[in-house]
Amino acid sequence: RLRASFPDAQMWYQLYILRDAARTRELIKMAERTNCSALVITVDSPVFGFRSVDARNGLRSLPSHIRYEHYTDSAHHDKAFTGDGEGMDDNIENIFEPAVTWDHIAAVVRETRLPVVVKGVLHEEDAVAAANAGARGVMLSNHGGRQYGSAPSALRTIAATRRALDEFEKDTNRASASRKISVLMDGGVRSGDDVVKAIALGADAVGIGRGVLYALAVDGSDGVRNALRMLRAEVRRAMILLGCTNTHQLRQLRCSAQ
Protein backbone atom coordinates (compact mmCIF):
# COMPACT_ATOMS: atom_id res chain seq x y z
CA ARG A 1 0.00 0.00 0.00
CA LEU A 2 2.82 2.43 0.83
CA ARG A 3 4.63 1.66 -2.42
CA ALA A 4 1.44 2.33 -4.39
CA SER A 5 1.07 5.71 -2.66
CA PHE A 6 4.76 6.67 -2.93
CA PRO A 7 6.15 4.91 -6.02
CA ASP A 8 9.43 6.87 -6.03
CA ALA A 9 10.19 6.80 -2.31
CA GLN A 10 13.25 4.98 -1.01
CA MET A 11 11.96 2.41 1.46
CA TRP A 12 13.77 0.03 3.77
CA TYR A 13 11.93 -2.96 5.16
CA GLN A 14 12.30 -3.76 8.86
CA LEU A 15 12.46 -7.52 9.32
CA TYR A 16 12.35 -9.69 12.42
CA ILE A 17 13.50 -13.29 12.19
CA LEU A 18 10.32 -15.25 12.83
CA ARG A 19 9.77 -18.68 14.32
CA ASP A 20 8.00 -19.45 11.06
CA ALA A 21 10.97 -19.59 8.67
CA ALA A 22 8.74 -19.87 5.60
CA ARG A 23 6.92 -16.69 6.62
CA THR A 24 10.27 -14.91 7.06
CA ARG A 25 11.19 -15.87 3.49
CA GLU A 26 7.81 -14.64 2.23
CA LEU A 27 8.39 -11.24 3.84
CA ILE A 28 11.85 -11.00 2.27
CA LYS A 29 10.37 -11.70 -1.16
CA MET A 30 7.62 -9.15 -0.52
CA ALA A 31 10.27 -6.51 0.26
CA GLU A 32 12.02 -7.33 -3.01
CA ARG A 33 8.78 -7.24 -5.04
CA THR A 34 7.90 -3.81 -3.67
CA ASN A 35 11.34 -2.42 -4.60
CA CYS A 36 12.59 -1.82 -1.08
CA SER A 37 16.19 -0.63 -1.05
CA ALA A 38 17.38 -2.63 1.96
CA LEU A 39 16.39 -5.11 4.66
CA VAL A 40 16.86 -3.96 8.25
CA ILE A 41 16.99 -6.98 10.56
CA THR A 42 16.24 -6.12 14.19
CA VAL A 43 18.20 -8.41 16.51
CA ASP A 44 17.65 -6.95 19.99
CA SER A 45 14.30 -8.58 20.78
CA PRO A 46 14.76 -12.26 21.68
CA VAL A 47 12.11 -11.47 24.31
CA PHE A 48 9.97 -8.42 24.89
CA GLY A 49 11.57 -5.90 27.26
CA PHE A 50 9.78 -5.07 30.49
CA ARG A 51 8.03 -1.80 29.72
CA SER A 52 6.80 -0.23 32.95
CA VAL A 53 5.05 2.62 31.14
CA ASP A 54 2.94 0.13 29.18
CA ALA A 55 2.16 -1.73 32.41
CA ARG A 56 1.09 1.47 34.18
CA ASN A 57 -1.10 2.42 31.22
CA GLY A 58 -2.75 -1.01 31.11
CA LEU A 59 -1.47 -1.72 27.59
CA ARG A 60 -1.50 -5.50 27.59
CA SER A 61 -2.55 -6.32 24.06
CA LEU A 62 -3.87 -4.81 20.86
CA PRO A 63 -7.62 -4.25 20.62
CA SER A 64 -9.43 -7.34 19.34
CA HIS A 65 -10.25 -5.74 15.97
CA ILE A 66 -6.57 -5.01 15.20
CA ARG A 67 -4.11 -7.64 14.03
CA TYR A 68 -0.38 -7.47 13.54
CA GLU A 69 0.62 -6.38 10.03
CA HIS A 70 1.53 -9.41 7.87
CA TYR A 71 -0.49 -11.60 10.22
CA THR A 72 -3.86 -10.31 9.08
CA ASP A 73 -4.94 -13.58 7.48
CA SER A 74 -6.48 -16.07 9.90
CA ALA A 75 -4.14 -18.98 9.11
CA HIS A 76 -0.96 -17.13 10.02
CA HIS A 77 -2.60 -15.24 12.89
CA ASP A 78 -4.05 -18.32 14.57
CA LYS A 79 -0.78 -20.22 14.16
CA ALA A 80 1.22 -17.40 15.71
CA PHE A 81 -1.09 -16.65 18.61
CA THR A 82 -2.12 -20.04 19.85
CA GLY A 83 -1.22 -20.68 23.48
CA ASP A 84 -2.12 -19.36 26.91
CA GLY A 85 -0.40 -15.97 26.72
CA GLU A 86 -2.67 -12.94 26.75
CA GLY A 87 -0.25 -10.03 27.01
CA MET A 88 1.42 -8.21 24.15
CA ASP A 89 4.79 -9.61 25.18
CA ASP A 90 3.41 -13.14 24.89
CA ASN A 91 2.02 -12.31 21.46
CA ILE A 92 5.36 -10.97 20.27
CA GLU A 93 7.28 -13.91 21.71
CA ASN A 94 4.96 -16.31 19.90
CA ILE A 95 6.03 -14.70 16.61
CA PHE A 96 9.74 -13.89 16.97
CA GLU A 97 12.53 -16.45 16.85
CA PRO A 98 14.02 -16.27 20.38
CA ALA A 99 17.41 -17.77 19.49
CA VAL A 100 18.61 -15.67 16.56
CA THR A 101 22.28 -16.30 15.71
CA TRP A 102 24.68 -14.89 13.16
CA ASP A 103 23.85 -17.94 11.04
CA HIS A 104 20.31 -16.54 10.67
CA ILE A 105 21.74 -13.24 9.44
CA ALA A 106 24.05 -14.99 6.97
CA ALA A 107 21.09 -17.04 5.70
CA VAL A 108 19.08 -13.87 5.00
CA VAL A 109 22.08 -12.33 3.21
CA ARG A 110 22.22 -15.41 0.96
CA GLU A 111 18.43 -15.38 0.48
CA THR A 112 18.05 -11.79 -0.74
CA ARG A 113 19.49 -9.53 -3.42
CA LEU A 114 18.95 -6.54 -1.08
CA PRO A 115 21.69 -5.13 1.15
CA VAL A 116 21.18 -6.13 4.79
CA VAL A 117 21.51 -3.78 7.77
CA VAL A 118 21.58 -5.26 11.29
CA LYS A 119 19.73 -3.10 13.83
CA GLY A 120 20.08 -3.28 17.59
CA VAL A 121 23.86 -3.62 17.84
CA LEU A 122 25.55 -1.80 20.75
CA HIS A 123 29.05 -3.29 20.84
CA GLU A 124 31.85 -3.15 18.31
CA GLU A 125 32.42 -6.92 18.41
CA ASP A 126 28.81 -7.50 17.39
CA ALA A 127 29.21 -4.97 14.60
CA VAL A 128 32.18 -6.93 13.26
CA ALA A 129 30.23 -10.20 13.61
CA ALA A 130 27.40 -8.65 11.57
CA ALA A 131 29.89 -7.64 8.88
CA ASN A 132 31.35 -11.15 8.89
CA ALA A 133 27.83 -12.50 8.32
CA GLY A 134 27.57 -10.34 5.20
CA ALA A 135 25.73 -7.26 6.49
CA ARG A 136 26.36 -4.04 4.56
CA GLY A 137 25.60 -1.89 7.58
CA VAL A 138 24.84 -1.80 11.29
CA MET A 139 22.29 0.40 13.01
CA LEU A 140 23.37 1.21 16.55
CA SER A 141 20.20 1.27 18.64
CA ASN A 142 18.94 0.50 22.13
CA HIS A 143 15.35 0.23 20.84
CA GLY A 144 14.42 3.62 22.25
CA GLY A 145 15.44 2.47 25.71
CA ARG A 146 12.44 0.15 25.79
CA GLN A 147 14.19 -3.22 25.62
CA TYR A 148 16.84 -3.10 28.34
CA GLY A 149 16.91 -0.03 30.54
CA SER A 150 20.61 -0.36 31.42
CA ALA A 151 21.82 -0.53 27.82
CA PRO A 152 24.17 2.26 26.73
CA SER A 153 22.99 5.04 24.50
CA ALA A 154 23.67 4.43 20.83
CA LEU A 155 25.66 7.68 20.59
CA ARG A 156 28.30 6.37 23.02
CA THR A 157 28.99 3.32 20.86
CA ILE A 158 29.58 5.06 17.52
CA ALA A 159 33.30 5.82 17.71
CA ALA A 160 34.35 2.35 18.89
CA THR A 161 32.14 0.72 16.28
CA ARG A 162 33.53 2.82 13.43
CA ARG A 163 37.10 2.06 14.49
CA ALA A 164 36.41 -1.67 14.72
CA LEU A 165 34.74 -1.77 11.31
CA ASP A 166 37.54 0.26 9.73
CA GLU A 167 40.02 -2.32 11.04
CA PHE A 168 37.82 -5.16 9.81
CA GLU A 169 37.63 -3.63 6.33
CA LYS A 170 41.39 -3.10 6.29
CA ASP A 171 42.08 -6.68 7.35
CA THR A 172 39.67 -8.14 4.78
CA ASN A 173 40.50 -5.74 1.92
CA ARG A 174 36.90 -4.51 1.81
CA ALA A 175 37.53 -0.82 2.19
CA SER A 176 36.49 0.23 -1.32
CA ALA A 177 33.78 2.88 -1.42
CA SER A 178 31.26 0.47 -2.92
CA ARG A 179 31.72 -2.07 -0.11
CA LYS A 180 32.25 0.17 2.92
CA ILE A 181 30.16 -0.99 5.87
CA SER A 182 27.81 1.78 6.94
CA VAL A 183 27.30 2.83 10.56
CA LEU A 184 23.90 4.28 11.33
CA MET A 185 22.65 5.51 14.68
CA ASP A 186 19.06 5.30 15.86
CA GLY A 187 17.65 6.80 19.04
CA GLY A 188 17.69 10.09 20.89
CA VAL A 189 17.94 12.37 17.86
CA ARG A 190 15.94 15.44 18.83
CA SER A 191 17.87 18.25 17.14
CA GLY A 192 20.33 19.08 14.40
CA ASP A 193 23.06 19.16 17.05
CA ASP A 194 22.40 15.48 17.74
CA VAL A 195 22.84 14.72 14.03
CA VAL A 196 26.12 16.64 13.92
CA LYS A 197 27.47 14.84 17.02
CA ALA A 198 26.66 11.44 15.51
CA ILE A 199 28.39 12.25 12.23
CA ALA A 200 31.44 13.69 14.00
CA LEU A 201 31.75 10.46 15.98
CA GLY A 202 31.69 8.37 12.81
CA ALA A 203 28.08 7.71 11.85
CA ASP A 204 27.07 7.78 8.19
CA ALA A 205 23.42 8.57 8.94
CA VAL A 206 20.91 8.76 11.77
CA GLY A 207 17.38 7.50 12.21
CA ILE A 208 14.63 9.81 13.38
CA GLY A 209 11.59 8.20 14.93
CA ARG A 210 9.67 9.91 17.71
CA GLY A 211 10.33 13.45 16.53
CA VAL A 212 8.74 12.74 13.17
CA LEU A 213 5.86 10.81 14.75
CA TYR A 214 5.12 13.65 17.17
CA ALA A 215 5.15 16.12 14.27
CA LEU A 216 2.80 13.86 12.31
CA ALA A 217 0.41 13.67 15.26
CA VAL A 218 0.38 17.44 15.72
CA ASP A 219 0.08 18.63 12.12
CA GLY A 220 0.04 15.70 9.71
CA SER A 221 2.34 15.78 6.69
CA ASP A 222 2.88 19.55 7.11
CA GLY A 223 4.18 18.87 10.60
CA VAL A 224 6.65 16.30 9.30
CA ARG A 225 7.90 18.65 6.59
CA ASN A 226 8.34 21.41 9.15
CA ALA A 227 10.20 19.12 11.57
CA LEU A 228 12.62 18.00 8.84
CA ARG A 229 13.08 21.61 7.72
CA MET A 230 13.98 22.58 11.28
CA LEU A 231 16.47 19.72 11.57
CA ARG A 232 18.19 20.70 8.33
CA ALA A 233 18.43 24.32 9.45
CA GLU A 234 19.92 23.28 12.81
CA VAL A 235 22.46 21.00 11.12
CA ARG A 236 23.51 23.78 8.75
CA ARG A 237 23.87 26.33 11.55
CA ALA A 238 25.86 23.92 13.74
CA MET A 239 28.25 23.13 10.89
CA ILE A 240 28.81 26.83 10.20
CA LEU A 241 29.57 27.46 13.88
CA LEU A 242 32.01 24.52 13.88
CA GLY A 243 33.73 25.82 10.76
CA CYS A 244 32.79 22.78 8.65
CA THR A 245 31.54 23.01 5.07
CA ASN A 246 30.91 19.28 4.57
CA THR A 247 30.47 16.04 6.51
CA HIS A 248 34.03 14.93 5.73
CA GLN A 249 35.32 17.91 7.70
CA LEU A 250 32.91 17.05 10.51
CA ARG A 251 34.43 13.59 10.76
CA GLN A 252 37.90 15.10 11.11
CA LEU A 253 36.92 16.80 14.37
CA ARG A 254 38.37 15.27 17.49
CA CYS A 255 35.09 14.36 19.13
CA SER A 256 34.40 12.38 22.29
CA ALA A 257 31.12 10.80 23.37
CA GLN A 258 31.89 11.48 27.04
Side-chain angles (χ1 to χ4, degrees):
R1 292 194 299 269
L2 282 171
R3 177 55 72 198
S5 299
F6 304 99
D8 299 324
Q10 183 176 126
M11 295 183 183
W12 294 10
Y13 182 74
Q14 185 177 14
L15 177 75
Y16 287 85
I17 305 297
L18 308 179
R19 290 178 184 266
D20 184 344
R23 188 59 170 162
T24 301
R25 288 192 293 272
E26 289 172 6
L27 295 177
I28 292 170
K29 297 307 178 188
M30 182 205 68
E32 292 177 345
R33 286 196 306 273
T34 53
N35 295 321
C36 288
S37 304
L39 285 177
V40 181
I41 306 177
T42 300
V43 296
D44 61 3
S45 303
V47 296
F48 213 48
F50 177 69
R51 303 181 180 182
S52 57
V53 173
D54 288 352
R56 287 199 302 271
N57 290 333
L59 180 61
R60 285 189 49 78
S61 61
L62 293 178
S64 58
H65 65 284
I66 296 177
R67 293 191 173 191
Y68 291 90
E69 188 68 24
H70 307 308
Y71 280 85
T72 52
D73 59 283
S74 296
H76 280 108
H77 187 275
D78 294 344
K79 182 179 179 182
F81 297 114
T82 53
D84 298 328
E86 294 181 352
M88 193 176 292
D89 52 349
D90 296 308
N91 289 348
I92 292 295
E93 288 164 25
N94 278 335
I95 298 176
F96 294 168
E97 170 57 58
V100 173
T101 68
W102 296 115
D103 289 340
H104 287 90
I105 305 303
V108 173
V109 170
R110 291 193 299 270
E111 178 81 21
T112 183
R113 57 179 173 77
L114 300 176
V116 169
V117 176
V118 176
K119 177 177 179 284
V121 171
L122 285 171
H123 195 283
E124 61 268 26
E125 291 180 8
D126 285 332
V128 171
N132 262 322
R136 294 288 300 278
V138 292
M139 186 174 290
L140 306 175
S141 171
N142 64 12
H143 214 108
R146 296 180 302 136
Q147 272 299 92
Y148 182 54
S150 296
S153 70
L155 186 78
R156 290 184 180 274
T157 67
I158 296 173
T161 299
R162 183 68 274 169
R163 285 195 299 269
L165 288 174
D166 286 346
E167 286 300 314
F168 170 80
E169 291 168 339
K170 203 179 300 179
D171 292 344
T172 55
N173 297 315
R174 292 179 56 179
S176 67
S178 63
R179 296 296 299 169
K180 188 175 177 67
I181 299 162
S182 298
V183 175
L184 302 94
M185 189 205 78
D186 172 66
V189 177
R190 298 291 185 272
S191 70
D193 283 354
D194 295 329
V195 178
V196 168
K197 291 173 194 173
I199 293 172
L201 285 164
D204 296 294
V206 302
I208 304 167
R210 290 174 186 167
V212 168
L213 291 176
Y214 293 159
L216 181 68
V218 169
D219 197 22
S221 59
D222 287 341
V224 173
R225 277 191 290 269
N226 191 44
L228 294 176
R229 192 179 300 118
M230 290 170 62
L231 278 172
R232 290 193 189 98
E234 289 167 0
V235 168
R236 182 175 181 274
R237 187 175 296 270
M239 290 180 65
I240 291 171
L241 292 172
L242 289 169
C244 297
T245 60
N246 55 54
T247 55
H248 175 73
Q249 291 178 357
L250 261 185
R251 293 192 180 94
Q252 303 310 305
L253 296 178
R254 294 185 178 275
C255 188
S256 168
Q258 301 302 317

